[in-house]
Amino acid sequence: MAGETATARPPESRAQPRRLRSLRHVPVSRLSGVGPRRAAALGRLGIDSVYDLLWHVPRRYVDRTRQTPISELNGVNLEEGEELTIIAEVDRTSKRQIRRRLTLNEVVLSDGSGRLTAKWFNRPGLMRGVEAGATVAVSGKLARFRGRPQLEVSALEVVDAGRAGADTGVVVPIHAAAADVPPWLVRELMREALDRTGELLDPIPPHLTRRYGLLSRTDAFRMVHFPPDLASARRARDRLVYDELFLLETALAMRKVSLDASSFGRSNPPGGALWGELASRLPYELTSAQVRALREIGDDLATERPMHRLVQGDVGSGKTVLAAHALLAAVDAGAQGVLMAPTEVLAEQHHVNLRNVLDGLSVEADDNLLGTRPLAVEILTNRTTGAERERLLSAAAAGEVDILAGTHALIQEGVHLPNLGVAVVDEQHRFGVHQRVALRERGDPTTAVPDVLIMTATPIPRTLAMTLYGDLDVTVLDEMPPGRRPIETVWVAPADGDLGGVWAHVRAEVDAGRQAYVVCPLVSDSDQTEAASATATHEELATGVLAGLEVGLLHGQLRPAEKHDVMAAFRGGAIQVVVATTVIEVGVDVPNATVMVVLDADRFGLSQLHQLRGRIGRGSHASTCYLVADPTTPEGRARLEAMVETTDGFVLAERDLEIRGEGTVLGARQSGVSDLRVTRLVRDVEWVQRARTDAFALVETDPELEASPLALLREEVFDLVGDDVDWLLRS
Ligand code: ADP
Ligand code: MG
């Protein structure tokens, strides 16, 4: 080997192992047979580079040795209802409209031993690429129809289009594919990519790979795509899961260690005059969970170590009052507080609530001669423009604004809070790490790092919270304020009749002095069409079944001032029913609202439905949530059933994972976890814990990974956090 000369090697092979991330810069168009059209189709699958391709691991595998020949499906040892998978050739296909919204799809399969009909309802996407001559892998339940075996399909994938599966081994990898990128092409490209890539450098310290008997990175990529048997596929997957989790956890560990070591914070002790005043003004007793949370927050505020705490509490658990206390601790300490919310509606609401509860309070003026001045609670959103914006920004910069609520507008250029003591981020799941950091930087970086409090309603199991927010301390609010009346959830199928009963109930509640939300269907990703649909629904209801009531309209395309007016009128009771898009999804708090009607509810995700429903059941009156839907998919049906069954956010989150089987459902999209390509958080909890322990142990001994064997790890971690590298390091 050592004797070989460079010219004797095939041009693409390399003697030197290479960096995996160098493949990010190799576009898929460098692979054989990939022209602009195929490159675009691969791009739609999320595959732009060879790096993306290698991480495009099979969705599942089918083991040919464990298949049942079709001729044996009549055998006595196979029960009806048994789950099985077969790989077979398609003889013919058919599609029939049974009734409105119900299509029966049939595929006749043969495998040389016999013939079998596989069938399913609706789900037109499953038929894509299914043609006579294609080889498909079909999973489903065995059923009998007029004495003959049939398969009720749950999953179906085209393995080969008329190529009889010749290029697969005993284990058939099923890669996600698309119309223009059939599975055989994915496999061909994968083979070439693996060959030309050769050996990969491995960033994981050898003592860790040894600890778990992990494959090398090179072997893991080879075997995950083309495993000789299922056990190898599992080992390969384990290595890749550990690989990505270890990198993420190392980044989080570095971040936490650097924050903890920072003596650059400031103390905003709890229990000052304003803090005490707020506590005495509350119209209710804090729950014991709130008391505990406040103590933890207070302890953080008291020290000079910058607070970096996440409060996780289900919708309605009472997080806002914690934020208010923290903000006042800053003001009590002579500093400023800022509260960032994800929507204008929510920012306004925080602003109004804070103003109300803090009404009439004053602070010491900077200028002793003036004695005191009123506590200044202001709001900054995109609605704040022109002279008003100028005035506000210069007042903030002069330290004359004590508490500033707002939206993303807070983290724009020109916003300076020289004396920033506490920054609160509400409903964190809507923001990314970047915005969290940007908010903190509104303060004067040369004075002190503010205390940061993050609040989220995303109900995630604690171990997962560690992964998502591994650099944060976590407080869980696991108790609801007392006196809440349970929300009754009713699923109404419009096909069963008209919605007369639903609208009659809305009227009855309004007559009794209550208010209602009507949530319009999700139309598409475009705000514009969504707004149009909301407008049409509003028109229809206001002139039809809800005629005579004060019906308002709220959607994302309204001008900020209009949104503000509608919400203010709804809050004040002048509007009785508000027809809205998901603008009202997070945080909106109108305790007098007791009915919600969600139209086409099956189009929403489970966590979104949970957030929406959280807008009612906030006061002392009983509430009802109507989910109007005629779901066309089993998943849609399962979501509605889950909603009817429980209001517990944690239970729903787990159900959501079962239904979707993905870790990204939990609002994790922006937290770094979206970068996980192979890991499924719930399934891989054990690996999360291992990676976390290992990463923190490593970073404890070498906080900035300066030892030379860690050079590649350091490089990859820096690469992972991109522009935010500086927040991994001290000083
Ligand atoms: P979330 O955690 O969803 O942000 P909020 O802070 O908006 O919840 O609180 C929901 C409602 O519960 C508000 O109307 C609030 O005033 C009320 N609330 C909060 N804490 C308590 C409590 N301890 N007892 C009674 N009501 C409370
Ligand atoms: Mg809230």
Side-chain angles (χ1 to χ4, degrees), residues 284-287 290 314-321 481-482 484 589 591 618:
Y284 47 73
E285 294 270 312
L286 293 178
T287 64
Q290 285 170 318
D314 205 349
V315 173
S317 60
K319 297 181 291 293
T320 315
V321 66
R484 290 281 157 83
D589 186 36
R618 302 189 140 240

Side-chain angles (χ1 to χ4, degrees), residues 308-312 425 428 436 452-456 472:
H308 219 63
R309 183 169 292 277
L310 173 78
V311 174
Q312 202 198 339
V425 183
Q428 148 82 9
R436 210 207 284 164
V452 175
L453 182 67
I454 292 151
M455 308 196 294
T456 179
L472 305 175

Side-chain angles (χ1 to χ4, degrees), residues 97 221 413 465 479 561 569 604 640 701 723:
Q97 192 80 23
F221 277 113
E413 279 303 308
E479 186 185 348
F604 296 91
L640 295 171
T701 59
D723 291 342

